[in-house]
Amino acid sequence: MSEIYDVVVIGGGPAGENVVGRCAEGGLSVALVERELVGGECSYWGCVPSKTLLRPGDVLAAARRVPGAAEAVHGHIDAAAAFAQRDYMTSSWSDEGQVRWLEEVGATLVRGHGRLAGERRVDVTRNGTTTRLEARRAVVLATGTGPLLPPIPGLEDVMAWTNRDATEATAVPTRLLVLGGGAVGVELAQAYRRLGSEVTLVEGGPRLLGREEPFAGEEVREAFEAEGIAVLLEARAAAASRMNGTVTLTLEDGRELGGDELLVGVGRRPSTNDLGLENVRLQTGGIVEVDDSLRVTGVEGGWLYAVGDVNGRAPLTHMGKYHGRLAADAILGKEVRAIADDRALPRVTFTDPQIAAVGLTEAQARERGIDVGAVEYGTGDVAGAYTRGNGIKGTSKLVVDASRDVVVGATFTGPDVQELLHSATIAIVGEVTLATLWHAVPSFPTVSEVWLRLLEAYGL
């Protein structure tokens, strides 16, 4: 016997939750299949705990920039208190609150591992028992990604940390090695440095945050080195080993680095290996490709959707939630088209300095053949920045499609610049011309006055 619902969602992270909530609000019956915790990676092992661990250091750094407040800062971060706040923010890895929310919206939670079993059918296995679910309208895949461990000899044997180990930790390692200079690596490297670790960060490429504007990674590197984080660029790991509690990371050039823990943050891969894709004639092990309505390509009938990281279009939590809303609208019969993935993908790296960017970098715009006009201005060179303290630095940059007179990319670096980002996102999505933006007057004295300075530097 099968349990029948209008919609079956596999994966209860933010993307899947958005599908559930919107479909239920639209009057559909919904079953959510989740094998771990409702709320997913972001809530328990990613965005929420990592930013919580970063926050104490951010507050102290901000205070130390302000004469009068700096004198009140004494001692070091209380790591135990920081971990306790992390426990509070993750509900101590309990999803009771999210389960209550499912009950409130009228959705059914089915615990277990979900696999496609054919058209509109999902088998859920738990403790040796299988439950068959059938969907009248749609099945939605929202299984996210898992950490990628590169094929480095000995890496599996050293019990290396992933983001989960780092965000679940209850003690600060004396020495922490971090492999990978992307968002996960740099955020957790700085968090643990400020919690008290001696940190060495190893990146195989020529700069940190290699997908962003070159100045972004350089500014993070300078800040890291100023606070005692050793940054090794163009350094590739050749082997890893652990003996008597010490992890040794051997580089291709023969250097050996020692630490108490090794955090691997080199990337993530879609969680599709055991999803039953072969039962609907799809390739297993990679991303699940979708069209702009989030329907899976290559599946007849348009009943299968994939949202969030699993489709590879824009592997960020907020974009997964965006996908979830669009997919739900499509299931409810609306015409939808995902345009933000390509046009205005916003992202923030929560280091100090922060890196906030949306849309295209200058290099990406040139690769697309856009008639590029680019302009930069110092984030710290506006009056609003001076009121926030001394020594505030950073760079603000607009990438302009000169033929259309619209912004196609923006990057802001510096302390607390994340709140500048949404204005750029709106400008890009709305295709607002520079001539119109000239009349968007920034309040004084705020850091957003940098918008005015950028437009002036561009020639307005």
Side-chain angles (χ1 to χ4, degrees), residues 9 13 17 33-35 47 60-62 88 116 148 168 183 196 204 214 244 248 254 343 358 377 424 440 442 445 458:
V9 180
E17 286 181 313
V33 180
E34 175 54 55
R35 63 184 178 87
C47 311
L60 289 182
Y88 167 74
L116 293 168
L148 173 67
E168 283 184 336
N244 299 324
T248 299
R343 183 188 300 177
V358 60
Y377 197 84
Y458 193 75

Side-chain angles (χ1 to χ4, degrees), residues 218-279:
E218 181 62 17
E219 290 178 17
V220 170
R221 182 193 64 78
E222 290 177 357
F224 277 17
E225 292 180 343
E227 59 185 78
I229 298 174
V231 179
L232 306 181
L233 299 177
E234 297 187 277
R236 294 172 177 80
S241 62
R242 185 187 287 270
M243 183 175 293
N244 299 324
T246 296
V247 178
T248 299
L249 187 66
T250 303
L251 305 183
E252 287 183 352
D253 62 11
R255 283 180 290 176
E256 291 188 345
L257 309 173
D260 300 295
E261 299 293 350
L262 168 62
L263 166 63
V264 179
V266 298
R268 300 182 68 80
R269 59 185 176 188
S271 298
T272 57
N273 281 335
D274 191 22
L275 197 50
L277 297 176
E278 68 279 5
N279 293 326

Side-chain angles (χ1 to χ4, degrees), residues 110-163:
V110 183
R111 298 274 191 186
H113 178 74
R115 298 183 82 255
L116 293 168
E119 183 175 346
R120 293 184 172 84
R121 297 194 301 273
V122 175
D123 283 346
V124 184
T125 303
R126 186 183 188 194
N127 299 327
T129 301
T130 299
T131 302
R132 170 65 59 85
L133 307 179
E134 292 191 22
R136 297 185 187 92
R137 290 201 185 187
V139 174
V140 183
L141 308 178
T143 51
T145 57
L148 173 67
L149 290 180
I152 297 171
L155 187 60
E156 291 188 3
D157 299 327
V158 303
M159 296 177 290
W161 278 7
T162 65
N163 65 291

Side-chain angles (χ1 to χ4, degrees), residues 19-103:
V19 177
V20 170
R22 205 163 179 88
C23 284
E25 185 180 289
L28 302 182
S29 61
V30 187
L32 174 65
V33 180
E34 175 54 55
R35 63 184 178 87
E36 291 187 302
L37 298 176
V38 179
E41 190 81 14
C42 180
S43 299
Y44 302 103
W45 301 285
C47 311
V48 171
S50 65
K51 279 51 174 182
T52 301
L53 292 176
L54 279 163
R55 184 59 179 161
D58 285 344
V59 172
L60 289 182
R64 288 178 177 134
R65 295 185 186 108
V66 182
E71 289 74 10
V73 178
H74 302 287
H76 303 284
I77 293 172
D78 184 334
F83 287 137
Q85 178 68 6
R86 181 272 322 271
D87 293 349
Y88 167 74
M89 292 297 293
T90 59
S91 301
S92 296
W93 292 275
S94 168
D95 63 358
E96 290 181 6
Q98 294 305 101
V99 172
R100 284 196 299 272
W101 170 77
L102 287 175
E103 294 171 350

